[in-house]
Amino acid sequence: MSDKLMKAEGLSVSIEEGELLHEVSLEIGKGETHVLMGPNGAGKSTFGYTLMGSPQYTVTGGRILFEGEDITRLSADKRAKKGMFLSFQNPLEVPGLTLESFLRASVRAVTGKPVKLFAFRKELEETLALLKIDPAYAERELNVGFSGGEKKKAEILQLLLLRPKFAILDETDSGLDVDAVRVVSAGIEEYQRRQEGALLVITHSTRILESLKVDRTHVMVKGRIVYSGGASVVEGINRDGFEQFISSGEE
């Protein structure tokens, strides 16, 4: 097995209302694609946001390691500079900032290097074409007036341009029609092809997984990972749903 890129060790997480995650442990190796599934309210998005360093959540136990370094107390921007990326379930609209300007600023912030405009625009055009996004969208205000599918495509556009070592995709297929799911899946496949990074795909659906190579599948129920297995777990969930995991609570 490849070297471990990200490790969550006994991770417990709380907000003011109480504990949301209970001693969650998960390891992801370089180049691997892991899927985190579970019913609504299981804590999947909380786990993803905690890995990325959202200040909304407080780590009360355990730790997060990235490339062997303890990043549990590191801010989200510093995690991004180390090569982590989170695709939001509901991307924000930012009036007054074009998509191209946002992407260029993001690349500069993450790499810490000046962005060569000609090379950047060439790569942007090629990636827009890959994702079947009208080039005119690059000059529109970030996510303003975008459909749900367009917002998700813009997130995958960021993924391909930023080239993170570890990407967390939170409900990327939520609210998408069949055609949009195919396009987003193609973008994720391209990331897998280009990059020796790793993916954590968080979802309660299985549509986006149909064309992806999945190494491990984890099922979360009530803030705990109750089962881990191979790609075949997805087929079982398609057939029988989550009830078997909810009722059994097996480790």
Side-chain angles (χ1 to χ4, degrees):
M1 181 173 287
S2 56
D3 294 337
K4 297 308 173 189
L5 180 68
M6 191 287 300
K7 294 177 67 174
E9 298 181 339
L11 196 64
S12 295
V13 174
S14 295
I15 56 175
E16 288 185 5
E17 290 79 5
E19 193 167 73
L20 300 177
L21 299 180
H22 315 281
E23 298 183 357
V24 174
S25 294
L26 192 151
E27 299 182 354
I28 300 178
K30 296 177 181 178
E32 293 180 348
T33 295
H34 287 229
V35 175
L36 180 61
M37 303 189 73
N40 289 331
K44 305 183 301 296
S45 294
T46 296
F47 182 63
Y49 277 74
T50 300
L51 291 181
M52 196 64 214
S54 170
Q56 181 180 355
Y57 303 102
T58 302
V59 175
T60 57
R63 62 178 184 165
I64 303 166
L65 300 176
F66 188 69
E67 295 188 310
E69 178 186 352
D70 189 340
I71 62 166
T72 311
R73 306 302 171 190
L74 220 55
S75 61
D77 62 314
K78 291 180 180 176
R79 297 187 199 201
K81 289 179 180 179
K82 288 185 177 294
M84 297 180 66
F85 173 89
L86 171 65
S87 168
F88 293 98
Q89 185 173 347
N90 298 300
L92 296 175
E93 297 183 3
V94 185
L97 179 67
T98 67
L99 175 58
E100 179 182 342
S101 296
F102 169 74
L103 292 169
R104 195 166 66 242
S106 297
V107 171
R108 184 172 61 247
V110 168
T111 63
K113 300 176 182 178
V115 177
K116 296 180 179 179
L117 187 58
F118 179 79
F120 172 80
R121 284 187 169 163
K122 183 174 184 296
E123 184 178 8
L124 175 59
E125 289 172 4
E126 292 172 349
T127 311
L128 285 167
L130 173 72
L131 296 175
K132 300 180 182 178
I133 300 175
D134 186 335
Y137 276 91
E139 297 307 314
R140 291 181 58 180
E141 295 176 310
L142 180 61
N143 292 327
V144 176
F146 284 24
S147 68
E150 289 164 345
K151 288 180 179 180
K152 298 300 177 70
K153 289 178 185 178
E155 292 273 283
I156 301 303
L157 181 63
Q158 293 177 52
L159 172 69
L160 293 176
L161 290 175
L162 291 174
R163 301 188 185 91
K165 298 175 184 177
F166 175 51
I168 305 160
L169 306 183
D170 182 24
E171 302 286 2
T172 302
D173 56 343
S174 176
L176 301 186
D177 61 26
V178 174
D179 290 335
V181 169
R182 288 197 188 105
V183 172
V184 168
S185 295
I188 298 171
E189 284 184 277
E190 181 67 12
Y191 170 78
Q192 288 180 311
R193 186 185 70 79
R194 290 183 186 182
Q195 192 77 12
E196 288 189 359
L199 278 170
L200 176 62
V201 182
I202 298 172
T203 183
H204 65 270
S205 172
T206 59
R207 293 187 304 164
I208 202 169
L209 307 177
E210 292 174 1
S211 59
L212 301 181
K213 178 185 176 296
V214 174
D215 295 291
R216 295 286 288 171
T217 305
H218 312 276
V219 180
M220 179 172 279
V221 176
K222 296 182 179 178
R224 291 183 170 87
I225 291 181
V226 298
Y227 190 86
S228 294
S232 61
V233 175
V234 175
E235 298 173 9
I237 291 171
N238 267 337
R239 184 180 62 249
D240 304 319
F242 294 112
E243 187 58 38
Q244 56 185 313
F245 303 108
I246 295 173
S247 59
S248 69
E250 292 178 354
E251 293 294 325

